[in-house]
């Protein structure tokens, strides 16, 4: 299977650090009271894994990350911290092919749901209905756009490291009734001088709150917003209509 993040991984992890400054506190709050195990779906380089570990200092964490490039970042981040390497297991499979604990305290799916088509989401909701412990929950976010619309070229990241600056740009085009294709460009500058450019493309399955709620309801799961509105975060628990 190809690694969509093979060429972009060196930029993706550093560019996800600033958004995680805002996502971390609401994720910690949403996990309050969970004992584990916790699955971090598409853990990337592990920004969220670290937040989960700090929020739940006793919980076992299973971080699922199929991209070898991003998994390298994740394993390094985990192995460098005694508090992480004792209780974080990194699995290389896609979520729906991974062997997960039978019972789950929480499932965290941040910045990842768009990688799953409708059938993939159904499989995730079935897993939650089947495996979540009493009081267990999932925490995820929806990222715009919620409809398959064109998104004009936008700079979404600007990070300076040493003498270099890394800019992340993205534009999207509709690709059928439920998905878009993101065309990403990662530009490196040395001072003002362009020093490199990497392009990457991802298919992203779009979803709005109403459809998410309907899908969850079919599995007896309930959706509620959590955190600041701009974070687009939700908690999923048992008890839907
Ligand atoms: C935008 S990154 C987000 C990483 C991390 N959750 C974060 O917010 O920092 C999306 C991640 O989802 C992973 N991913 C894509 N398809 C997946 C699947 N089927 N199962 C698990 N992870 C998947 C990618 O490899 C990538 O690491």
């Amino acid at each position: 299977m190809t690694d969509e993040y093979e060429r972009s991984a060196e930029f993706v992890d550093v560019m996800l650090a600033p958004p995680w400054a805002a996502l971390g506190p609401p994720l910690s709050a949403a996990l309050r009271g969970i004992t584990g195990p916790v699955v971090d779906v598409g853990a990337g380089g592990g920004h969220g894994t670290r937040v989960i570990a700090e929020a739940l200092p006793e919980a076992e964490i299973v971080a699922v990350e199929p991209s070898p490039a991003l998994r390298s970042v994740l394993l390094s981040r985990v192995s460098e911290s005694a508090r992480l390497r004792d209780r974080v297991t990194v699995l290389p499979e896609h979520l729906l092919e991974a062997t997960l604990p039978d019972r789950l305290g929480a499932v965290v799916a941040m910045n990842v749901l768009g990688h799953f088509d409708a059938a993939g989401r159904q499989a995730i909701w079935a897993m939650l209905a089947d495996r979540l412990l009493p009081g267990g929950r999932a925490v995820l976010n929806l990222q715009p756009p919620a409809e398959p619309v064109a998104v004009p070229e936008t700079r979404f990241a600007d990070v300076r490291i040493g003498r270099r600056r890394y800019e992340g740009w993205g534009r999207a085009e509709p690709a059928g009734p439920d998905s878009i294709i993101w065309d990403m460009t990662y530009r490196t500058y040395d001072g003002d001088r362009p020093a490199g450019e990497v392009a990457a493309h991802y298919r992203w399955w779009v979803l709005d709150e109403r459809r998410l709620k309907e899908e969850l309801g079919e599995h007896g799961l309930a959706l509620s917003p959590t955190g600041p509105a701009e974070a687009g975060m939700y908690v999923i628990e048992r008890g839907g209509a």
Side-chain angles (χ1 to χ4, degrees):
M1 204 165 280
T2 57
D3 176 2
E4 282 187 304
Y5 289 88
E6 184 181 1
R7 300 194 66 217
S8 61
E10 70 176 299
F11 308 106
V12 166
D13 183 70
V14 297
M15 290 178 180
L16 279 166
W20 267 104
L23 296 173
L27 175 59
S28 297
L31 290 173
R32 205 163 287 143
I34 294 293
T35 49
V38 181
V39 173
D40 188 3
V41 180
H47 291 293
T49 315
R50 200 160 49 186
V51 170
I52 298 165
E54 277 166 20
L56 305 174
E58 306 297 328
E60 181 190 1
I61 299 169
V62 179
V64 182
E65 180 43 63
S67 155
L70 280 168
R71 198 168 60 249
S72 305
V73 181
L74 175 65
L75 269 173
S76 293
R77 192 161 276 147
V78 168
S79 76
E80 282 188 350
S81 155
R83 284 170 45 233
L84 293 182
R85 68 174 173 265
D86 279 350
R87 63 199 172 92
V88 178
T89 301
V90 174
L91 297 183
E93 292 87 10
H94 282 243
L95 176 71
L96 299 171
E97 288 151 19
T99 302
L100 302 173
D102 287 342
R103 310 300 282 158
L104 300 173
V107 172
V108 173
M110 294 297 295
N111 303 322
V112 70
L113 197 61
H115 282 300
F116 293 88
D117 63 11
R121 293 195 304 268
Q122 287 297 330
I124 300 176
W125 313 147
M127 176 184 76
L128 296 180
D130 186 37
R131 298 197 189 195
L132 276 184
L133 287 161
R137 66 201 77 130
V139 185
L140 54 71
N141 63 339
L142 293 182
Q143 294 172 289
E147 305 287 328
V149 294
V151 180
E153 181 91 356
T154 309
R155 187 175 71 179
F156 64 87
D158 184 2
V159 179
R160 193 184 69 77
I161 299 177
R163 293 183 182 202
R164 294 205 156 190
R165 210 164 48 72
Y166 303 90
E167 290 186 0
W169 291 79
R171 59 187 292 278
E173 288 296 331
D178 292 321
S179 70
I180 56 175
I181 303 287
W182 278 110
D183 289 322
M184 312 298 292
T185 310
Y186 302 92
R187 299 196 174 104
T188 301
Y189 293 89
D190 202 329
D192 290 335
R193 188 179 60 83
E197 190 168 300
V198 166
H201 313 281
Y202 316 101
R203 180 184 290 273
W204 194 254
W205 299 91
V206 295
L207 182 67
D208 62 16
E209 182 182 312
R210 185 189 54 76
R211 180 156 173 203
L212 175 58
K213 208 171 209 162
E214 276 172 19
E215 290 184 2
L216 293 169
E218 289 165 18
H219 293 266
L221 298 166
L223 183 71
S224 33
T226 192
E230 62 274 15
M233 289 175 63
Y234 296 88
V235 168
I236 297 169
E237 293 162 296
R238 276 183 217 288

